[in-house]
Amino acid sequence: MSKNIVVLVSGGGTNLQALIDAEKNGELGNGKITCVISSKADAFALTRAADNGIKTRVLVRKDFSDIAAYSKAMRDALVEEKADLVVYAGFMTILDENVCDVFENKMINVHPALIPSFCGKGFYGLHVHESALEKGVKVSGATVHFVTAECDAGPIILQKAVAVEEGDTPETLQKRIMEQAEWKILPKAVQLFCDDKIKVVNGKTLISE
Ligand code: GAR
């Protein structure tokens, strides 16, 4: 039986596209993207999903009174979709334990920096790269990790370093990190998960290949 992958998005969806392309190339192992859920009704990621015949749903944060109510609605949607794996691909809302406890070690996120640098609340999208450039780091990158109720703190699955270049802007650094790291390690982590190659022991992952 293949594993149902539900992808959560909020924006452009280039990481979703990398997953769709990987599935087409037979690189998601035993996984199949069965649904895309967006926190924004106008996210371009929804168009990417529809163009590829993938079911879409929209759950807008502002339609719910607080994060607990939103998280419960998301949990119900994920259960309804029979999600075996939930992938945050540019999903910009922090869900609470109403979801994280039910899908423990079954939700993964891609973060555009080398955790524990430039992560946690407020570090998302271009802000991450602005902070990295402000600090003057010479190397940044991306991290794929399991999601827990604490933002960007779950067990790390894969990381890839990317050089910062002189004259970089947040936009050029973001683009390089996406191309060289995110679009590679996110599909790879999904494949490892779907092929049952990731174990979590004492808050760390063990990967067998
Ligand atoms: C990506 O760089 C992703 O790592 C980041 O937002 C971008 C979304 O792009 N996610 C976060 O910052 C989450 N903390 P995409 O919609 O084109 O995949």
Side-chain angles (χ1 to χ4, degrees):
M1 269 262 283
S2 66
K3 286 192 165 70
N4 296 335
I5 303 168
V6 176
V7 184
L8 308 187
V9 296
S10 301
T14 62
N15 278 290
L16 168 66
Q17 191 66 53
L19 292 170
I20 291 170
D21 295 345
E23 184 180 329
K24 281 190 186 149
N25 293 333
E27 290 164 5
L28 285 192
N30 194 27
K32 185 172 164 37
I33 304 167
T34 49
C35 183
V36 170
I37 305 180
S38 176
S39 63
K40 294 218 174 88
D42 61 352
F44 185 65
L46 288 169
T47 305
R48 295 181 191 269
D51 285 352
N52 286 278
I54 301 167
K55 178 180 179 181
T56 60
R57 296 174 70 146
V58 176
L59 264 187
V60 177
R61 168 68 184 86
K62 276 182 257 150
D63 292 346
F64 297 84
S65 54
D66 55 22
I67 198 64
Y70 185 70
S71 295
K72 282 180 187 163
M74 183 62 82
R75 177 197 61 201
D76 293 348
L78 293 171
V79 170
E80 246 171 61
E81 296 301 332
K82 299 187 168 48
D84 296 305
L85 171 65
V86 181
V87 180
Y88 288 40
F91 182 66
M92 298 304 184
T93 305
I94 300 167
L95 301 172
D96 72 10
E97 60 280 355
N98 283 298
V99 183
C100 298
D101 290 356
V102 176
F103 287 91
E104 193 185 9
N105 294 338
K106 289 184 178 163
M107 296 205 292
I108 67 176
N109 176 46
V110 60
H111 182 75
L114 293 173
I115 289 175
S117 288
F118 311 114
C119 66
K121 213 164 185 280
F123 287 96
Y124 60 90
L126 274 180
H127 299 302
V128 176
H129 307 296
E130 280 161 13
S131 303
L133 292 177
E134 216 162 272
K135 181 67 193 170
V137 293
K138 304 297 183 194
V139 172
S140 190
T143 302
V144 179
H145 63 93
F146 282 113
V147 176
T148 58
E150 191 184 341
C151 182
D152 295 333
I156 290 169
I157 302 168
L158 294 175
Q159 293 188 297
K160 189 161 191 290
V162 173
V164 177
E165 289 177 10
E166 221 167 280
D168 259 340
T169 62
E171 288 80 7
T172 59
L173 182 57
Q174 178 183 56
K175 182 166 179 278
R176 189 176 317 110
I177 288 176
M178 282 177 154
E179 288 171 355
Q180 296 184 6
E182 296 186 48
W183 301 342
K184 294 192 161 99
I185 63 173
L186 182 61
K188 181 70 193 169
V190 169
Q191 181 190 54
L192 290 168
F193 179 95
C194 290
D195 287 346
D196 295 316
K197 299 279 169 83
I198 310 174
K199 257 202 289 187
V200 179
V201 182
N202 296 328
K204 296 177 196 164
T205 64
L206 290 177
I207 295 171
S208 53
E209 277 216 75

